Amino acid sequence: MINQKYAPLLEPFEFQNGISLKNRVVMAPMTNYSSNEDGTVSDAEVAYYVRRSKGVSMVITACTYVTPNGQGFPGEFAGHTDEMIPSLRRLATAIKSEGAKAILQIFHAGRQVPKDIAPNGDVVSASDVPSEGEGKPVPRALTETEVESIIRDFGETTRRAIEAGYDGVEIHGANTYLIQQFFSPHSNRRTDRFGGSLEKRMTFPLAVVDEVQRVVKEHAKEPFIIGYRFSPEEPETPGITMADTMVLIDRLANKNLDYLHVSLMDFWSTPKRGVEDSRSRIEIIQDAVGDRVAVIGVGSIYSAEDARKALTSGIPLIGLGRELLIDPEWVQKIEQGREDEIVTELDINKQEELEMPTPLWQRILKNPGWVPGV
Ligand SMILES: Cc1cc2nc3c(=O)[nH]c(=O)nc-3n(C[C@H](O)[C@H](O)[C@H](O)COP(=O)(O)O)c2cc1C
């Protein structure tokens, strides 16, 4: 029997579009580097997702690229052609068959595309400014026509997600990738309608939202979830500040989206610059959007107690990333009142039992400190 203290985590939730979730816990998007050479979803990936789709109410997949020059990782599954629909469908079906809603995360990596996987080595971004750090490639600034084409590509991948049976898409506007690169004054130095002022830096992100919504209206026969993920601040100068983000989220909150997903490594982190407010970023954001749109918070939530506390911030939904790699039965243990048995450090002898694809497993082992226990 469930411990009543944790009952709020298991309450159902309804999005504005009428789709309901069976509880408040969603799987955060995690790249696994394990797709087949041809961009199709592999058996290992399907097994990994099946293992993690029983307890949570919604699974946000690893990101998929909307155009070949947007692929950010080796072994990332593809979403850029209609030929990929059966592969996308296989993943959606696997997730839904275990009882979770399936959300496809759609993305373009922009200047973060590794040079060796960029088609003809052509790394593109808003402007020709490299990321900070040693040996980062200088990207080529996209032409206006190319930018418009990428906006349509986000729509096309959304159409494929609908045809493949997903319950929704998440627009990946976070973690330094192309959509964020257009919003950021570090990577966007354009002087056309896609850059210059804060207002103009929002043109691309908001156009992607409009296009995805247009496609959903045209193609979806049932309610379809649209979420938007963003990173609230950048460390660089110039870079996105909390003040910039407050303007963006106000616009997004008026767009009839189903959720905003705040990408953070620490759920309770506080703003670095841009606002005079000692509260956590997540509380400031929730306060600003109110009940216009649901907010998902994420970041270093491991124990049942961490999750219970996170909900006291006022947000309706929490995301678990690394913790679901470590313990795929996290939600079931809470359901059964066995929260004391939740494992919060990766057991490096259990790759097989945890259904972890080898390329993901190896990356984790090679990067100590990334996942607790390693
Ligand atoms: C292995 C791994 C892969 C990730 N891949 C993605 C991704 O494809 N898209 C994304 O938006 N975030 C990605 N993230 C970030 C997570 O969604 C999440 O925001 C972050 O890990 C913090 O949550 P956590 O503390 O619960 O892990 C990834 C994180 C990990 C650990």
Side-chain angles (χ1 to χ4, degrees), residues 27-33 48 60-64 73 105 107 170 172-175 177 229 261-267 298-302 319-325 360 363-364 370-371:
M27 180 169 168
M30 283 182 284
T31 291
N32 56 54
Y33 319 95
Y48 158 91
I60 305 161
T61 68
C63 55
T64 185
F73 310 94
Q105 192 185 50
F107 126 120
E170 178 173 284
H172 192 352
N175 303 357
Y177 300 117
R229 191 171 217 220
H261 189 173
V262 191
S263 181
L264 292 170
M265 290 307 280
D266 172 13
F267 183 91
V298 67
S300 302
I301 299 171
Y302 295 105
L320 297 184
R322 291 167 293 178
E323 178 55 28
L324 285 178
L325 303 178
L360 173 60
R363 288 235 180 185
I364 290 171
W370 192 21
V371 175

Side-chain angles (χ1 to χ4, degrees), residues 159-362:
R159 175 181 56 75
R160 292 178 197 113
I162 294 166
E163 288 177 26
Y166 283 86
D167 298 290
V169 291
E170 178 173 284
I171 299 167
H172 192 352
N175 303 357
T176 75
Y177 300 117
L178 187 69
I179 295 178
Q180 181 174 330
Q181 288 162 31
F182 268 90
F183 183 52
S184 166
H186 186 279
S187 36
N188 184 348
R189 314 276 172 102
R190 300 176 76 96
T191 52
D192 61 6
R193 67 189 177 94
F194 293 105
S197 59
L198 169 64
E199 187 65 35
K200 287 180 166 179
R201 286 189 275 113
M202 290 192 291
T203 308
F204 180 75
L206 297 176
V208 170
V209 171
D210 289 342
E211 177 64 3
V212 166
Q213 289 185 318
R214 187 190 67 75
V215 166
V216 168
K217 217 169 181 182
E218 186 176 324
H219 293 275
K221 296 188 183 71
E222 294 163 10
F224 189 80
I225 296 166
I226 307 176
Y228 186 101
R229 191 171 217 220
F230 64 94
S231 298
E233 292 188 81
E234 289 178 337
E236 295 89 359
T237 303
I240 297 170
T241 68
M242 197 65 189
D244 294 343
T245 289
M246 297 311 286
V247 177
L248 177 66
I249 61 169
D250 186 59
R251 287 301 179 80
L252 291 170
N254 285 339
K255 281 212 168 279
N256 257 320
L257 290 162
D258 295 293
Y259 71 82
L260 296 184
H261 189 173
V262 191
S263 181
L264 292 170
M265 290 307 280
D266 172 13
F267 183 91
W268 294 105
S269 62
T270 50
K272 298 229 181 316
R273 56 183 174 178
V275 294
E276 291 298 318
D277 198 324
S278 57
R279 292 176 298 168
S280 62
R281 290 160 163 160
I282 198 80
E283 288 168 295
I284 296 169
I285 290 166
Q286 173 60 58
D287 194 24
V289 304
D291 57 10
R292 288 182 285 168
V293 60
V295 175
I296 305 180
V298 67
S300 302
I301 299 171
Y302 295 105
S303 66
E305 192 51 24
D306 292 342
R308 185 195 67 74
K309 278 204 200 111
L311 278 190
T312 67
S313 67
I315 60 158
L317 298 168
I318 58 164
L320 297 184
R322 291 167 293 178
E323 178 55 28
L324 285 178
L325 303 178
I326 299 168
D327 192 343
E329 270 82 48
W330 196 93
V331 175
Q332 293 92 316
K333 286 179 180 171
I334 292 193
E335 282 169 346
Q336 296 158 10
R338 297 193 292 130
E339 63 276 354
D340 293 350
E341 293 171 38
I342 286 174
V343 184
T344 54
E345 288 195 354
L346 191 67
D347 184 337
I348 59 165
N349 301 308
K350 289 195 173 163
Q351 183 195 348
E352 244 172 75
E353 193 188 314
L354 293 170
E355 299 276 11
M356 291 282 280
T358 298
L360 173 60
W361 191 253
Q362 284 172 347

Side-chain angles (χ1 to χ4, degrees), residues 76-139:
E76 177 185 339
F77 67 85
H80 67 304
T81 62
D82 283 2
E83 275 157 43
M84 291 296 149
I85 293 175
S87 153
L88 296 173
R89 183 177 296 126
R90 189 176 171 217
L91 183 56
T93 307
I95 293 168
K96 293 197 302 181
S97 67
E98 300 303 309
K101 301 287 182 206
I103 306 293
L104 184 69
Q105 192 185 50
I106 57 177
F107 126 120
H108 188 299
R111 68 180 182 180
Q112 305 288 24
V113 171
K115 215 161 169 78
D116 56 327
I117 49 178
N120 306 315
D122 184 29
V123 177
V124 299
S125 182
S127 299
D128 57 356
V129 183
S131 318
E132 290 186 2
E134 286 287 299
K136 301 286 184 174
V138 179

